């Protein structure tokens, strides 16, 4: 997945594009570039490396029309040549692209056969050459037809922007399965991958329909479906949540967002009761309910299984989005799929939902970013209201997901929601108050090769989530596992000094998990106990506040997030933008 942004309006484009790229960098950051037009001249600057590298290079790019890109490499290595924008043979068209073209090889051969010369290894460059062919000799009023012919030749996922001295202050845009939203001002347009990149200029946004094209000038925007049907372009106000302050101060986004969790959980529990009742009704009517997600959102799906079973006696089958083929044989028109996704743009989740919908399933989306592709594909959706989460590692969105899932389970059970947002928020604050001791504690694991996180019952998916945080933030191999599984193999790996994080709140899993801890201690493990009860078993003890029922997962994950964060800090890791990762994985 990559970040793309354009600008056409009265102001110099380069500063606006650079600022937008910085807000899009979480989507990919191995190379970046910009094309800006100054009258009849267009200049392109692009480099491997972070957006920051562009800062010194784009100051001289004059002009009020431009496009820019920050890349997460899929086709072709991280090189200057493979950075976007890409240009046509005659250098008169520049494009930036987010997505994957599935017919890029055959198109490349076809185009080379007609004399086109490529300068990169990327699939994206194809678009510049196809546009070059389709725009050749076209009058302005024929622009849309040429753009429609272009998109009909492309297969796969794409969101692209194109500019050319031939087009003046026009930006061409197209999207299929990759996100594109346009910031709308009376005298300027800012098309981009997400709203965060233009929020400082406008909160009026036009979310492009899937499989549509748009033609925009500073004062106008028109759009059509790929079949040529004109669309009614109606900008909407971006939800207040997304306008929330983000960044600021000298802390990483990730730490800021960990600290925002008391507020995030409180807001997540402030939901429209009628909406939750409607969703609960759909779930009760379904003959099978699935919870689909990827990464952290999949871990929320795993916790959901315990919540719906314990609260409502309802079986919810968690399915990894990328493994959706597993369930597609079971999906029918009586099925309901709860699709859980912070971004609402995860390609694996969108694909799983597409398959489920085609088989007649009802789709309920649990999302954070408003008006995402997933939300617009679903029969009903609920927003977790966590506000913008910029750190690549999901933190507050996870606890907010759990809050909404628990509230939904109570609605399915027809019971009052036995969760108090204020109380859960203050329990999380109790954990946050231990930040300093947790920072000191991780000294013991920062140089470790492996960390084991062990939990039982719904603490098992929390162990998985804690392991994921440790991997993606601190770059330490971490394994989350079910406590009861230790003696079935993994215990063989436990030896003197092996760091083990034992999730052991004093609930019905306490005694058995404690004895699992004894088994590991007997083999020399270094036990970090996370519990509301102390024990001689623990070499270090992170004290949880006393929690009850389904509050626990939202509270016990916070020390794991802090341990991963501070371990990463001690190891000098990137934190907000971990290597090789991106916030929204919009490619399969
Ligand atoms: C979690 O910290 C990661 N950022 C990643 O696993 C993420 O949860 C996953 O890519 C799913 O993203 P989504 O919730 O936006 O669908």
């Amino acid at each position: 997945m990559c970040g793309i942004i354009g600008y056409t309006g009265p102001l110099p484009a380069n500063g606006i594009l650079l600022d937008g790229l910085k807000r899009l960098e979480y989507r990919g950051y191995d190379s970046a570039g910009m094309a800006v037009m100054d009258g009849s001249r267009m200049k392109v600057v692009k480099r491997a490396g972070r957006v920051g590298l562009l800062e010194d290079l784009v100051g001289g790019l004059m002009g009020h029309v431009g496009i820019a890109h920050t890349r997460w490499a899929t086709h072709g290595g991280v090189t200057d040549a493979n950075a976007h924008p890409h240009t046509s043979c005659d250098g008169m068209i520049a494009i930036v692209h987010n997505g994957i073209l599935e017919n890029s090889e055959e198109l490349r051969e076809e185009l080379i056969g007609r004399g086109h010369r490529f300068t990169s290894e990327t699939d994206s460059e194809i678009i510049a050459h196809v546009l070059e062919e389709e725009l050749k000799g076209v009058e302005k009023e024929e622009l849309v037809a040429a753009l429609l012919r272009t998109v009909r030749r492309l297969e796969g996922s794409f969101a692209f922007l194109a500019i050319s001295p031939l087009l003046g202050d026009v930006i061409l845009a197209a999207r299929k399965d990759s996100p594109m939203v346009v910031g709308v001002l009376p005298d300027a347009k800012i098309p981009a991958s997400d709203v965060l990149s233009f929020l400082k200029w406008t909160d009026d946004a036009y979310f492009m329909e899937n499989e549509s094209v748009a033609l925009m000038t500073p004062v106008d925007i028109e759009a059509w479906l790929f079949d040529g049907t004109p669309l009614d372009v109606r900008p909407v106000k971006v939800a207040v949540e997304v306008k929330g302050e983000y960044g600021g101060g000298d802390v990483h986004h990730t730490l800021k967002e960990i600290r925002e969790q008391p507020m995030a959980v409180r807001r997540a529990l402030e939901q429209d009761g009628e909406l939750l009742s409607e969703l609960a009704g759909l779930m009760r009517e379904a003959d099978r309910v699935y919870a689909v997600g990827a990464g952290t959102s999949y871990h929320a799906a795993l916790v959901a299984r315990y919540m719906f079973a314990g609260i409502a006696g309802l079986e919810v089958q968690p399915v990894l989005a990328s493994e959706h083929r597993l369930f597609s044989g079971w999906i029918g028109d009586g099925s309901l799929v709860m699709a859980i996704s912070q971004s609402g743009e995860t390609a694996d989740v969108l694909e799983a939902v597409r398959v489920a919908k085609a088989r007649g399933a009802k789709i309920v989306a649990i999302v954070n970013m408003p008006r995402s592709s997933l939300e617009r594909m679903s029969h009903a959706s609920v927003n977790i209201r966590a506000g913008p989460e910029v750190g690549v590692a999901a933190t507050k969105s996870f606890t907010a997901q759990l809050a909404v899932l628990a509230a939904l389970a109570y609605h399915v059970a027809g019971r009052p929601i036995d969760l108090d947002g204020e109380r859960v928020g203050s329990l999380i604050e109790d954990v946050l108050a231990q930040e300093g001791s947790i920072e000191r504690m991780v000294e013991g694991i920062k140089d470790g090769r492996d960390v084991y996180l062990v939990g039982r019952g719904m603490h098992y998916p929390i162990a998985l989530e804690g392991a994921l945080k440790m991997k993606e933030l601190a770059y330490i191999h971490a394994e989350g596992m079910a406590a009861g599984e230790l003696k079935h193999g993994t215990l063989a790996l436990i030896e003197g000094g092996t760091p083990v994080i034992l999730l052991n709140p004093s609930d019905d899993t306490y005694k058995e998990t404690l004895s699992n801890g004894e088994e590991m201690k007997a083999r020399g493990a270094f036990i970090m106990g996370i519990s509301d009860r102390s024990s001689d078993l623990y070499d270090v003890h992170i004290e949880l506040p006393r929690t009850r029922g389904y509050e626990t997962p939202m509270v016990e994950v916070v020390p794991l997030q802090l341990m991963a964060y501070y371990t990463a800090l001690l190891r000098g890791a990137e934190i907000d933008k971990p290597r090789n990762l991106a916030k929204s994985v919009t490619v399969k």
Side-chain angles (χ1 to χ4, degrees):
M1 66 309 324
C2 305
I4 63 177
I5 183 169
Y7 175 80
T8 180
L11 301 176
N14 57 352
I16 294 170
L17 294 174
L18 191 63
D19 178 74
L21 278 188
K22 287 177 183 170
R23 297 170 191 274
L24 284 166
E25 223 182 348
Y26 70 88
R27 300 175 62 87
Y29 32 85
D30 54 42
S31 50
M34 190 183 293
V36 174
M37 236 162 30
D38 179 13
S40 59
R41 285 181 329 110
M42 179 166 73
K43 274 195 78 177
V44 177
V45 171
K46 57 185 192 176
R47 284 284 182 286
R50 286 275 161 85
V51 169
L53 264 183
L54 276 184
E55 199 114 31
D56 308 333
L57 306 172
V58 297
L61 292 188
M62 310 312 288
H64 299 175
V65 187
I67 54 176
H69 183 277
T70 181
R71 183 173 183 241
W72 186 69
T74 53
H75 287 64
V78 179
T79 63
D80 292 355
N82 288 340
H84 301 214
H86 293 292
T87 54
S88 52
C89 301
D90 59 7
M92 291 300 278
I93 297 167
I95 67 101
V96 290
H97 166 237
N98 172 33
I100 288 187
L101 298 183
E102 290 167 3
N103 62 337
S104 59
E105 281 315 309
E106 61 198 81
L107 275 177
R108 179 184 278 258
E109 278 169 36
E110 211 185 285
L111 291 158
I112 289 172
R114 285 199 290 274
H116 287 265
R117 294 176 314 287
F118 283 79
T119 57
S120 81
E121 305 157 316
T122 68
D123 56 337
S124 305
E125 187 186 349
I126 300 269
I127 298 171
H129 296 282
V130 172
L131 255 180
E132 182 179 19
E133 286 192 343
E134 297 300 345
L135 284 174
K136 199 174 280 308
V138 159
E139 298 300 321
K140 274 226 170 179
E141 55 278 359
E142 282 298 303
L143 262 186
V144 176
L147 183 54
L148 289 172
R149 288 196 302 273
T150 299
V151 296
R152 288 172 192 149
R153 290 172 60 182
L154 308 177
E155 290 169 20
S157 61
F158 51 83
F160 70 78
L161 299 172
I163 60 172
S164 166
L166 307 169
L167 305 177
D169 59 5
V170 169
I171 296 181
L172 301 178
R175 72 159 293 229
K176 177 175 176 291
D177 300 341
S178 289
M180 180 86 85
V181 55
V182 184
V184 177
L185 293 88
D187 61 352
K189 300 295 174 286
I190 312 177
S193 299
D194 76 10
V195 295
L196 299 181
S197 48
F198 57 69
L199 263 185
K200 72 184 283 189
W201 305 99
T202 178
D203 60 356
D204 288 321
Y206 168 60
F207 290 80
M208 282 184 63
E209 292 297 329
N210 196 19
E211 301 195 11
S212 75
V213 300
L215 189 154
M216 57 197 91
T217 65
V219 294
D220 192 18
I221 175 168
E222 295 175 279
W224 298 263
L225 291 177
F226 283 1
D227 65 7
T229 309
L231 291 168
D232 187 6
V233 175
R234 289 172 186 271
V236 295
K237 279 285 179 212
V238 175
V240 171
E241 287 83 357
V242 180
K243 278 205 74 162
E245 261 310 296
Y246 60 92
D250 54 359
V251 297
H252 290 106
H253 287 298
T254 303
L255 182 57
K256 177 178 167 294
E257 288 150 7
I258 290 171
R259 291 171 172 167
E260 284 177 352
Q261 291 182 107
M263 174 271 289
V265 167
R266 289 185 187 114
R267 285 163 55 129
L269 288 169
E270 290 162 6
Q271 293 289 344
D272 169 1
E274 281 179 26
L275 171 63
L276 294 186
S277 296
E278 179 202 335
L279 302 186
L282 293 175
M283 294 180 78
R284 278 194 297 268
E285 288 155 18
D287 57 21
R288 271 182 179 274
V289 178
Y290 301 89
V292 176
T296 291
S297 297
Y298 173 65
H299 296 153
L302 290 171
V303 178
R305 177 185 225 169
Y306 293 92
M307 288 178 164
F308 283 89
I311 295 169
L314 178 75
E315 182 191 0
V316 170
Q317 173 85 4
V319 179
L320 260 179
S322 55
E323 293 294 321
H324 68 84
R325 291 163 190 74
L326 164 83
F327 74 16
S328 51
W330 306 327
I331 289 272
D333 53 13
S335 306
L336 183 136
V337 173
M338 250 191 325
I340 306 171
S341 174
Q342 187 284 129
S343 63
E345 301 298 345
T346 299
D348 291 333
V349 175
L350 299 183
E351 174 66 12
V353 163
R354 219 169 275 124
V355 167
K357 271 183 88 172
R359 299 179 69 95
K362 282 248 181 328
I363 311 295
V364 169
I366 297 180
V367 289
N368 187 38
M369 292 306 281
R371 297 186 59 79
S372 60
S373 303
L374 174 61
E375 181 183 312
R376 282 179 279 133
M377 290 169 74
S378 302
H379 296 93
S381 70
V382 56
N383 190 293
I384 65 172
R385 309 184 68 231
E389 184 177 72
V390 181
V392 166
T395 49
K396 64 176 182 174
S397 62
F398 179 63
T399 42
Q401 286 169 342
L402 298 185
V404 169
L405 288 162
L408 193 47
Y410 281 108
H411 273 267
V412 171
R415 292 166 48 189
I417 298 178
D418 186 16
L419 272 179
D420 177 295
E422 287 307 318
R423 172 180 154 82
V424 179
S426 63
L427 291 170
I428 292 174
E429 276 154 5
D430 292 349
V431 177
L432 292 173
Q434 297 182 62
E435 206 175 309
S437 56
I438 290 172
E439 181 180 5
R440 287 187 292 281
M441 185 181 299
V442 296
E443 280 289 345
I445 55 174
K446 72 175 175 63
D447 299 321
R449 267 182 329 105
D450 301 294
V451 179
Y452 295 85
L453 294 92
V454 175
R456 191 180 283 269
M458 66 181 166
H459 315 305
Y460 164 38
I462 301 300
L464 293 174
E465 174 55 16
L468 177 59
K469 291 289 119 11
M470 193 60 82
K471 286 185 281 189
E472 65 178 331
L473 287 173
Y475 305 160
I476 292 181
H477 175 256
E479 182 175 351
M481 60 179 304
E485 274 299 289
L486 269 165
K487 53 188 169 302
H488 298 289
T490 306
L491 200 57
L493 294 177
I494 306 299
E495 55 192 2
T498 303
V500 173
I501 299 172
L502 196 69
L503 287 174
N504 200 17
S506 58
D507 60 12
D508 60 0
T509 67
Y510 180 77
K511 286 209 175 76
E512 289 172 302
T513 304
L514 203 63
S515 63
N516 295 133
E518 300 289 359
E519 289 161 13
M520 293 184 281
K521 185 82 176 188
R523 281 132 184 110
F526 179 79
I527 304 283
M528 291 170 275
I530 298 193
S531 177
D532 49 303
R533 285 169 62 173
S534 64
S535 163
D536 296 340
L537 170 71
Y538 306 145
D539 295 291
V540 289
H541 174 213
I542 294 175
E543 185 172 2
L544 285 180
R546 194 145 175 71
T547 56
R548 54 189 180 77
Y550 297 95
E551 300 170 335
T552 308
M554 288 169 256
V555 179
E556 70 179 334
V557 72
V558 178
L560 304 181
Q561 296 167 343
L562 290 170
M563 291 174 84
Y565 173 78
Y566 282 107
T567 305
L569 206 59
L570 288 172
R571 290 168 63 94
E574 288 289 344
I575 298 185
D576 281 342
K577 301 172 199 132
R579 64 188 179 200
N580 310 337
L581 302 181
K583 183 64 179 172
S584 177
V585 183
T586 56
V587 291
K588 279 183 246 170

